[in-house]
Amino acid sequence: MDIILQPWTWYISGPLIAFVLFLFFYFGKSFGVSRNLETICTIAGAGKISDYFKKDWKERDWALIFLVGLIIGGFIAINYLSATKTIQLNPKTVQELADLGFENAGNSFVPSEIFSIENMLTIKGFSILLIAGILIGFGTRYAGGCTSGHAIAGLSNLQLPSLIAVIGFFIGGLLMTWIFFPLIFG
Amino acid sequence: MKNIKFLIIGIFFGIIMTKSEAISRYRIYEMFKFQSFHMYGIIGSAVAISMIFMYLFKKGTIKDYLGNQINIKEKKKGFIRTLIGGTIFGLGWALAGACPAPIFVLIGHSVFPIIIVLLGAILGAFIYGLLSKKLPN
């Protein structure tokens, strides 16, 4: 039990993610999460505005059920399967984040400086969350996949578009982390 | 009821995402700062093992639960769309510190402001749908 309660190292987690990919294909589906964002648009009635969303969402109801599972899994893992909620970060990372105004980096999963309710209710805090979301949703659909669809399923299937997409993920991620992030929070 | 297996796979994946800390905003920052091997190890080992699965799927050694050959769909081609789309996604990923699956897992952690990120992501997908014919592909 103690092994489960401790954080799982990468060589346990990585193969388990591969096993999830296996289960998807074994049950006749492909592994990916971001297409659900379009399915949610369809359910919300986006088909009335654009033909792009005129799809039969019931064909993808299984994927929405998977999303419900993610929420339940997160709830179980953090409330019942975690002895500690702290993250063992590189001390350099903790120091750098402190310099940017993020106190106690690693004491929780996400920083309260971004994810507290009070912060969400400020214009700046709300804008950061919303804009980040728009970039995620727009980018992943334009690229044709996210981390699961491109970085795991696509790369392992030696798909060239996925390699290009992952290079893009890193260009964007590095630009944000090294250039924009210090400007936004510094 | 036939979809209950996907509920269970989702619960399992939500637990893995949490226990691996891959949903931590800090881990994403650390990865893009090259200050830890953790995320590279997770993604790298997941891809390496998945390659073996993909090979066995294509060879027909592993069939699906109905005994049919597993067909793996090719990704949509297009250099510009994947590179620019990927870069835009990367900006959002590194800003929020979450990609689509972790957004849902974090709701399970009671991190409710992540719902704003989710609404933004749905809005972003909607904007893409509206513009899809006009964007370079």
Side-chain angles (χ1 to χ4, degrees):
Chain A
M1 195 59 194
D2 193 50
I3 295 168
I4 290 176
L5 294 177
Q6 295 308 310
W8 298 351
T9 182
W10 62 266
Y11 52 81
I12 302 291
S13 321
L16 286 174
I17 293 170
F19 181 59
V20 170
L21 171 137
F22 166 82
L23 290 172
F24 266 82
F25 282 93
Y26 182 73
F27 289 118
K29 311 291 180 196
S30 51
F31 184 48
V33 177
S34 65
R35 187 174 293 273
N36 292 307
L37 299 171
E38 291 183 359
T39 310
I40 295 169
C41 289
T42 301
I43 292 172
K48 287 184 198 126
I49 298 162
S50 166
D51 286 347
Y52 181 88
F53 296 103
K54 275 193 186 149
K55 288 166 190 165
D56 181 12
W57 66 266
K58 292 207 173 76
E59 279 175 19
R60 288 190 51 81
D61 59 353
W62 61 270
L64 299 171
I65 291 166
F66 171 75
L67 298 184
V68 175
L70 289 180
I71 298 173
I72 299 170
F75 182 84
I76 294 171
I78 199 71
N79 289 301
Y80 304 108
L81 301 176
S82 300
T84 168
K85 285 167 189 158
T86 60
I87 312 257
Q88 292 299 317
L89 295 168
N90 184 335
K92 223 161 106 191
T93 311
V94 177
Q95 183 56 49
E96 282 184 18
L97 283 166
D99 293 343
L100 287 173
F102 290 87
E103 286 173 34
N104 308 318
N107 278 12
S108 53
F109 268 67
V110 293
S112 60
E113 286 84 354
I114 297 178
F115 291 104
S116 67
I117 302 280
E118 302 93 76
N119 186 68
M120 180 185 81
L121 296 174
T122 66
I123 292 173
K124 185 182 173 184
F126 184 87
S127 308
I128 288 169
L129 294 167
L130 189 71
I131 291 167
I134 293 171
L135 293 169
I136 290 169
F138 182 89
T140 184
R141 295 323 306 147
Y142 195 16
C146 60
T147 337
S148 49
H150 270 312
I152 312 280
L155 281 188
S156 65
N157 191 31
L158 309 176
Q159 294 273 303
L160 183 62
S162 294
L163 180 62
I164 298 166
V166 172
I167 291 169
F169 295 173
F170 268 82
I171 295 172
L174 293 173
L175 281 174
M176 177 56 69
T177 304
W178 290 81
I179 297 171
F180 300 127
F181 203 75
L183 292 175
I184 296 168
F185 292 97
Chain B
M1 274 312 274
K2 71 180 166 66
N3 286 329
I4 199 155
K5 52 185 179 279
F6 290 102
L7 183 75
I8 295 164
I9 299 171
I11 293 171
F12 183 51
F13 196 50
I15 292 172
I16 299 168
M17 288 280 101
T18 301
K19 297 302 300 177
S20 67
E21 302 172 343
I23 59 162
S24 169
R25 201 264 158 275
Y26 298 120
R27 285 291 188 198
I28 305 303
Y29 183 87
E30 206 182 32
M31 169 181 75
F32 284 126
K33 279 281 182 172
F34 305 104
Q35 287 165 341
S36 167
F37 179 71
H38 187 79
M39 288 300 298
Y40 296 101
I42 292 175
I43 298 171
S45 61
V47 170
I49 310 266
S50 298
M51 268 182 192
I52 300 169
F53 285 134
M54 292 291 194
Y55 174 75
L56 295 173
F57 292 156
K58 276 189 250 181
K59 243 187 110 201
T61 312
I62 300 177
K63 297 207 171 7
D64 73 10
Y65 75 121
L66 297 170
N68 298 320
Q69 168 86 28
I70 296 171
N71 293 309
I72 305 154
K73 278 189 219 110
E74 300 248 323
K75 292 278 174 194
K76 263 196 270 184
K77 295 212 166 36
F79 181 79
I80 293 173
R81 62 174 298 150
T82 33
L83 189 68
I84 296 179
T87 303
I88 293 170
F89 169 71
L91 288 166
W93 185 19
L95 181 55
C99 44
I103 288 174
F104 292 93
V105 182
L106 284 169
I107 294 174
H109 284 214
S110 310
V111 179
F112 296 119
I114 199 83
I115 292 170
I116 306 294
V117 180
L118 175 60
L119 294 175
I122 294 166
L123 182 61
F126 177 65
I127 295 169
Y128 170 72
L130 292 183
L131 301 178
S132 64
K133 283 187 187 136
K134 292 176 190 135
L135 293 166
N137 276 302

